[in-house]
Every structure is written in structure tokens, then in C-alpha cells.
Amino acid sequence: MPDCRDAQHPRTADLHTLAPNWSVKVRVKNWARAKGIAPNRRKVRRAHIGGRRLNDIRDDSARARDVSNGLNDLSGFAAAENYSLALTRLQAGEPIVEPAGCPSTTYRVLKRLLDIAGALLAFVLFLPILVPVFVALLITTRGRPFYTQERVGYCGRRFKMIKFRTMRLDAEKLRHLVPNEKDGPIFKAKRDPRITRIGRWLRKTSIDELPQLFNVLMGNMSLVGPRPALAKEVAQYAPWQRRRFCVMPGLTCLWQVSGRSDVDFDQWVRMDLWYVRHQSLWTDIKLLLRTPWTVISMRGAY
């Protein structure tokens, strides 16, 4: 007959997978033993029942309920501790990943030259659109046409990202009233009532992103690279997902030309990691050439 400890008790290794570091693992193990959930070899008693040797355990259904409740509590505790630690590191300006991507110095120099030349050229080309939009927003937003937001970029470095304002001025206060329609740590709502009438058009055409050309010129962003994210969202990332910050964030990327908001979060991160592995000048040029058609089609833009 198989040992009842193996049949009735969750293995300690399973509990360890819920804890991100050794200190939490020890607390998980001690808590589970105190509750009688994890096997403690020193306290296992044997009893003869009907001529067969069985572990002296509680009723199966009661134990299963205790295990389920206990593991849920522990996983929630570990997640909360991880979030707090990650957010503290981000606020302190500590790197969250090591630099990666194409290590060639020649590539980095050429990429920076492409960023500067491309940003200046885009300003000249879009100036007839930028000026009327700026004036319209200046009137409709009570003199606050730009919206700056702190984002996480290269290796966890924080910077102020600039956009045209597309939401009402009290949008952040009303965020809790809008249901999130996406999975993962990101927040997206297709019909967000906080977006203004002109703001909806700006988002559909991606014109609201054009002020980020200033970020490109300042060196906080590149023309091509993973999109920057909010610190409170990054704090919820799994370690493998943070690798998308190994390279400079950008205006456009593989996710941007592959459906944008129609793509789920895990697939989005995998696209960014693909770019990290295949970063090159030719990859950047191909993504830049695909971007105009994506903007015109308005696919996934909201």
C-alpha cells in the first residue's frame, strides 16, 4: 500500500514553488507544518485500523479544504511581498535587468543617428498636423494640451513620457470606475468613457504619440523598441517578462505593427523578447517601414 504521506499531503516542493525567495520558503514550510498541512516526519503517528497501518490524519475533505485555503493565502502573501519589493526597487532607481540586445558599438551609434534623423524628419513632415492639434487641445483642455506620465524604460530607468492629452483632466480619479478588459498587469478599455471626443480620434490615428519624438531626441526612447510601461504595472511582472526592458523603449515595435491592443499580454511580451534576441539595424528598418500601414489601418488602436 502506498505511503499515506505521499497520497494525502501536498509535497513540500509544491509549496516551494509558491515562494519567490528563501525567506518566504522557510515561512511557508513553518506555517504549513504548524497547520498540519505539510508532512512532518517527526510527528507522523501510525495506527492499526482493521489490521492495516494508516497515517493518523483528519478527515480527507476537511484536510483538502485546509490545504486549498492555506495555499491560496500563501500565494497571495508571496505575490504581495514581490510587488512591494519590485516597486521599491523601481522607485529607488535600481536596475531591474541587465542590458541585452545587439552589443555592437557600430549598431548603437547608427541606431542613435537613425533616431535623431528620423525624429527631426517626422517633426517636419507632421508639423501641419501637430500645430492644429496643439491649438485645439489648448482650447479644450484649459491650456493643458500635453500629458506627461512617469514610465519605466531601459533597464528599469524612469523618465517622463510626453503625449497629447486624450482624456479628461480628472481621468486618474475615475480610473477605478472603468473595468479592465485585458489580462495581465496592463489596463485597457476599448470604450473608456474618460476619453474625450477629440482624444478618441487622436488615439485611433496614433497622433497622440507624436510628442514622444521629444523623448527620442532627449535619448529616453528610440524610434524602435518595446513600449515603456507604468511602474505599478512593471512591479507585477514575472522575472522573465522584465527582460523586455533590456533594450531602449521605442515608439514602434513588433507588438505595435501586429495588432497592438488586440494582442494579449503574454504574446505582447514574447514579441518584445523576440526583438531583444533579433535586434539589428535591418530589424529596426523593417519595423519602421511596416508602421505607416499599421497607423492607417487603425488596427488595435483605442
Side-chain angles (χ1 to χ4, degrees):
M1 178 178 179
D3 194 335
C4 291
R5 287 174 295 177
D6 295 335
Q8 300 292 342
H9 295 285
R11 296 183 184 273
T12 307
D14 293 334
L15 295 176
H16 285 185
T17 61
L18 298 172
N21 53 59
W22 180 249
S23 63
V24 177
K25 289 179 183 178
V26 172
R27 275 179 279 178
V28 168
K29 191 173 181 180
N30 292 341
W31 180 92
R33 281 181 171 173
K35 292 289 186 180
I37 295 175
N40 189 332
R41 298 182 183 277
R42 292 175 297 177
K43 295 186 178 181
V44 172
R45 295 181 296 159
R46 299 279 184 170
H48 290 274
I49 301 178
R52 302 197 311 179
R53 296 170 62 84
L54 300 173
N55 279 336
D56 183 15
I57 59 175
R58 291 174 290 177
D59 179 72
D60 289 347
S61 61
R63 180 170 294 278
R65 183 172 61 251
D66 287 347
V67 170
S68 176
N69 294 339
L71 295 184
N72 286 338
D73 291 344
L74 290 170
S75 62
F77 168 77
E81 184 166 288
N82 266 348
Y83 175 82
S84 177
L85 179 62
L87 194 60
T88 300
R89 290 187 62 186
L90 286 168
Q91 292 173 344
E94 298 179 17
I96 58 174
V97 289
E98 294 293 328
C102 182
S104 170
T105 303
T106 302
Y107 165 74
R108 296 182 184 277
V109 172
L110 291 176
K111 183 177 176 67
R112 184 58 187 152
L113 292 175
L114 178 65
D115 287 342
I116 295 172
L120 293 174
L121 179 62
F123 269 125
V124 174
L125 292 177
F126 293 109
L127 194 61
I129 298 175
L130 291 171
V131 173
V133 169
F134 174 79
V135 173
L137 289 176
L138 199 63
I139 298 171
T140 58
T141 60
R142 304 173 191 173
R144 299 166 66 181
F146 293 112
Y147 175 67
T148 59
Q149 189 177 52
E150 188 173 79
R151 295 290 182 104
V152 176
Y154 183 56
C155 293
R157 189 183 303 160
R158 296 178 299 162
F159 69 97
K160 294 289 186 181
M161 192 183 75
I162 311 169
K163 296 179 66 175
F164 276 132
R165 188 177 296 275
T166 59
M167 290 187 175
R168 47 191 294 175
L169 297 177
D170 58 350
E172 284 300 319
K173 297 178 181 179
L174 302 175
R175 179 171 176 171
H176 66 283
L177 300 176
V178 183
N180 188 12
E181 299 176 3
K182 304 299 290 184
D183 61 336
I186 57 175
F187 182 90
K188 292 283 185 181
K190 196 166 187 177
R191 292 176 177 82
D192 195 327
R194 301 173 299 166
I195 301 176
T196 62
R197 190 173 300 177
I198 187 173
R200 198 169 300 279
W201 176 76
L202 291 176
R203 288 192 173 204
K204 276 287 184 182
T205 56
S206 299
I207 293 174
D208 64 316
E209 309 284 356
L210 289 179
Q212 289 166 41
L213 292 169
F214 285 112
N215 291 117
V216 174
L217 291 175
M218 289 186 292
N220 297 321
M221 293 177 63
S222 174
L223 290 179
V224 181
R227 295 293 295 161
L230 295 170
K232 60 184 177 183
E233 294 177 350
V234 177
Q236 301 176 58
Y237 281 20
W240 70 272
Q241 294 170 337
R242 294 173 191 163
R243 287 170 49 214
R244 64 188 297 267
F245 298 107
C246 290
V247 296
M248 189 74 72
L251 270 173
T252 188
C253 56
L254 183 59
W255 167 81
Q256 194 86 351
V257 301
S258 302
R260 290 188 273 189
S261 298
D262 291 339
V263 179
D264 63 70
F265 179 68
D266 279 348
Q267 188 63 23
W268 176 0
V269 175
R270 289 187 176 91
M271 288 179 179
D272 289 338
L273 296 184
W274 178 92
Y275 174 77
V276 172
R277 293 192 302 270
H278 298 87
Q279 189 183 45
S280 67
L281 196 62
W282 177 234
T283 301
D284 291 346
I285 292 173
K286 286 193 293 185
L287 290 174
L288 284 172
L289 292 176
R290 290 176 60 182
T291 300
W293 171 248
T294 301
V295 173
I296 294 171
S297 67
M298 302 182 184
R299 180 187 170 196
Y302 55 84

